[in-house]
Amino acid sequence: MALKGNLRDFSITQLLNLVNLACKTGTLVIEGPGDVAQISFREGKLAYAQLGHHDNTLAGILRRNRKISARQYAILQERAQNMGDKELGLLLINAGYLTQTDIIDSLQQYFIAIVRQLFTWVEGFFHFDTNKFSPSDKIPIRMDLENLIIEGSRQLREWEQLQQEIPSLDMSLKFMDRPGTNIRNVNLSVEEWRVVSYVNPKNTMRQIAQTTKLNELEIRRVVYALLQAGLVEIIRPGNAPVAIQPRAFPTTDKKEQKSLVNRIIDRIRAI
Amino acid sequence: MQTVKIVVTGPFSAGKTEFIRSVSEIDVVSTERKISAEAEKIKESTTVAMDFGRITVDAELVLYLFGTPGQRRFDFMWEILSEGMLGFIVMVDSVRPETFREARSILETFRAYAPTPYVVAANKQDLEDAWDLDDMRVALRLDPNVKFLPCVAHDKESVKKVLLELLYTILAEMESGNKA
């Protein structure tokens, strides 16, 4: 049976565990909230990872890891445009610019970062393609999955707790009325400031997440910190006042509705 | 015959079934099943779909009390039960702080369904280990305007008081709504 489904039912950590235990070879393709990720495995080990259309060329990865300078990167972009990663890697090693370890370490860090990002995806369709391998011009690595699985499990627990704390993102936030508290005196991260700037009863947490490009885990993480610090509280969108549901009463007549509640009150008092 | 309903919700083992049982004029129609999970064996059985109690108000009006299942895996029942409710009561176990987070979560979930009036009841306040109401209010992150009441679910008078407070809240909301 094909290995496919939704991350809502089968998490990334569970998928990694399955690949690890079954020593699977192939590529896991995940269509996430705004990106597609491809993670290739060889006999249960991580071999390659790619996220959307991010620059995953060896030159780009080495530049991000500060293994080469901006100038070297520009030269490589210009002169080694048609060169595959394997060929470029050999060239850099033979020319004495880098060692094999430098290259493998950089690739490992890059692939791990992608998998870590996937841990924050809570929904998205996935399928495991046993006939698809890492692209032939890319340098595959061979990395055990155990540490990543443990890290993912920790995040899963965090996700479950955060989901319990903030079950619905369709609610809004408002600043707490606490005299003496000045939010400017609180040390907030850039991400937290971005969310704080959109705190308004008119904006739901989902809208804030979309605007600030945070996923469901990230927005919950930020909001939870703000809640714990007593800076914000969760309210209904637009600060809608409490109201009786239209279908709560068998009648629409306001007087009759009031009489009905008073009759229930009298009855309960008499029990 | 006219009917209205109030929903009693809260975490696992908060005392919802007992609350309804204390005031219902019929034996509570319960969907209790034996607990299989070792971790949750703090009582023999638990509600899996709903509890159902009834109070006949007069010849033309009946109040139904619906108790929700406390375990999260039965939460698909919550939205169904909350449809058309007059208001809801969140029961919290005062001696089990480990359930406060779950209580907060249930409260937030119900608040998200509809802006319905509600009160929160701190059950088992007769027990020695019961948390103080002020501390519980902070732990549950309750708005100061939300009624937070001490409760003993097996004591009819205590249950009546909680129900009456919810009804007073509903009445107050209706009156403020009429003014607006």
Side-chain angles (χ1 to χ4, degrees):
Chain A
M1 180 149 169
L3 179 57
K4 60 180 180 181
N6 195 308
L7 294 180
R8 280 225 172 270
D9 311 310
F10 209 81
S11 69
I12 298 281
T13 315
Q14 286 173 302
L15 283 169
L16 291 183
N17 191 35
L18 181 75
V19 169
N20 183 38
L21 294 178
C23 296
K24 280 187 172 292
T25 297
T27 297
L28 180 64
V29 182
I30 307 164
E31 293 165 40
D35 250 331
V36 177
Q38 299 197 35
I39 318 288
S40 299
F41 303 92
R42 195 170 186 85
E43 292 165 348
K45 314 257 185 229
L46 178 65
Y48 171 78
Q50 186 184 338
L51 182 60
H53 299 292
H54 297 197
D55 176 12
N56 70 338
T57 58
L58 180 61
I61 292 168
L62 293 172
R63 174 71 198 112
R64 265 196 295 277
N65 270 13
R66 297 172 192 273
K67 295 287 179 193
I68 57 173
S69 66
R71 191 165 172 275
Q72 285 171 319
Y73 175 70
I75 293 169
L76 287 177
Q77 285 289 86
E78 196 184 306
R79 297 186 193 165
Q81 221 173 22
N82 299 321
M83 211 180 266
D85 281 358
K86 283 179 181 169
E87 209 179 336
L88 177 64
L90 274 175
L91 184 81
L92 291 170
I93 293 166
N94 291 336
Y97 284 114
L98 294 168
T99 64
Q100 189 179 349
T101 313
D102 287 332
I103 291 174
I104 298 296
D105 284 353
S106 295
L107 289 172
Q108 274 192 357
Q109 282 178 38
Y110 179 70
F111 296 156
I112 289 171
I114 289 177
V115 176
R116 277 191 184 133
Q117 209 168 327
L118 295 183
F119 286 146
T120 65
W121 291 13
V122 287
E123 70 175 303
F125 289 102
F126 67 80
H127 70 271
F128 192 85
D129 191 341
T130 50
N131 296 315
K132 192 172 182 179
F133 309 105
S134 51
S136 57
D137 61 327
K138 297 290 180 187
I139 303 169
I141 60 164
R142 194 174 162 78
M143 194 183 159
D144 289 335
L145 293 176
E146 284 83 356
N147 284 330
L148 277 171
I149 291 168
I150 289 169
E151 195 178 319
S153 301
R154 283 191 205 117
Q155 276 212 14
L156 192 65
R157 277 201 296 277
E158 184 198 8
W159 163 247
E160 284 167 355
Q161 284 183 358
L162 286 172
Q163 214 182 10
Q164 225 179 24
E165 291 285 349
I166 305 158
S168 171
L169 292 180
D170 295 319
M171 299 289 271
S172 298
L173 299 170
K174 90 180 217 335
F175 290 112
M176 293 268 278
D177 300 323
R178 285 176 61 208
T181 308
N182 187 347
I183 199 160
R184 291 184 194 285
N185 298 335
V186 184
N187 288 327
L188 298 177
S189 66
V190 175
E191 213 169 49
E192 286 159 347
W193 272 119
R194 278 168 60 215
V195 171
V196 161
S197 66
Y198 289 101
V199 169
N200 183 318
K202 287 179 189 164
N203 301 331
T204 64
M205 285 181 261
R206 195 176 300 286
Q207 288 168 330
I208 296 175
Q210 277 162 0
T211 310
T212 53
K213 294 191 168 42
L214 296 177
N215 64 35
E216 288 195 15
L217 175 72
E218 290 162 339
I219 184 74
R220 280 185 167 90
R221 197 182 271 155
V222 172
V223 171
Y224 180 64
L226 299 175
L227 282 171
Q228 286 298 96
L231 298 173
V232 298
E233 61 182 309
I234 296 174
I235 54 163
R236 291 193 57 79
N239 212 357
V242 172
I244 312 290
Q245 289 188 54
R247 292 177 55 194
F249 287 108
T251 169
T252 51
D253 185 283
K254 298 279 179 197
K255 267 189 179 170
E256 274 184 54
Q257 289 179 350
K258 210 171 154 185
S259 146
L260 190 144
V261 175
N262 279 316
R263 278 152 63 200
I264 300 172
I265 289 173
D266 290 342
R267 174 71 183 99
I268 287 174
R269 280 184 186 146
I271 291 175
Chain B
M1 177 69 73
Q2 295 179 321
T3 61
V4 287
K5 75 169 170 184
I6 286 175
V7 170
V8 183
T9 187
F12 168 73
S13 192
K16 302 176 290 293
T17 306
E18 202 165 16
F19 181 94
I20 296 173
R21 201 170 275 152
S22 290
V23 286
S24 175
E25 65 198 19
I26 55 164
D27 284 340
V28 173
V29 180
S30 188
T31 54
E32 292 196 329
R33 290 289 175 272
K34 281 201 165 185
I35 292 169
S36 51
E38 278 302 319
E40 290 167 342
K41 276 199 171 168
I42 59 166
K43 59 177 185 174
E44 280 299 309
S45 59
T46 192
T47 302
V48 293
M50 62 176 179
D51 289 321
F52 175 68
R54 191 180 74 186
I55 297 171
T56 305
V57 177
D58 51 38
E60 289 161 2
L61 180 63
V62 169
L63 168 67
Y64 290 132
L65 296 172
F66 285 92
T68 65
Q71 288 170 297
R72 197 92 211 183
R73 61 178 175 273
F74 302 116
D75 64 2
F76 59 90
M77 285 298 297
W78 297 355
E79 194 165 5
I80 299 167
L81 291 174
S82 68
E83 180 65 32
M85 63 185 168
L86 202 54
F88 66 95
I89 296 162
V90 183
M91 300 282 294
V92 190
D93 187 336
S94 306
V95 295
R96 291 178 62 222
E98 68 271 25
T99 65
F100 291 176
R101 178 190 286 150
E102 176 74 0
R104 269 201 315 258
S105 179
I106 292 171
L107 176 55
E108 287 304 332
T109 305
F110 271 79
R111 281 179 69 205
Y113 291 150
T116 313
Y118 65 92
V119 295
V120 183
N123 191 24
K124 304 181 191 175
Q125 278 290 312
D126 55 332
L127 299 183
E128 204 179 313
D129 293 342
W131 272 45
D132 187 79
L133 283 191
D134 290 340
D135 294 339
M136 282 182 79
R137 184 180 274 280
V138 174
L140 292 166
R141 286 207 298 263
L142 290 179
D143 185 288
N145 299 322
V146 173
K147 283 185 186 170
F148 186 43
L149 311 153
C151 177
V152 178
H154 57 77
D155 174 15
K156 191 196 284 183
E157 289 307 315
S158 174
V159 171
K160 277 169 61 181
K161 195 162 187 293
V162 173
L163 278 171
L164 285 170
E165 286 298 338
L166 174 63
L167 289 161
Y168 297 150
T169 305
I170 292 166
L171 212 50
E173 293 303 337
M174 289 171 78
E175 275 165 7
S176 64
N178 282 350
K179 278 177 202 158

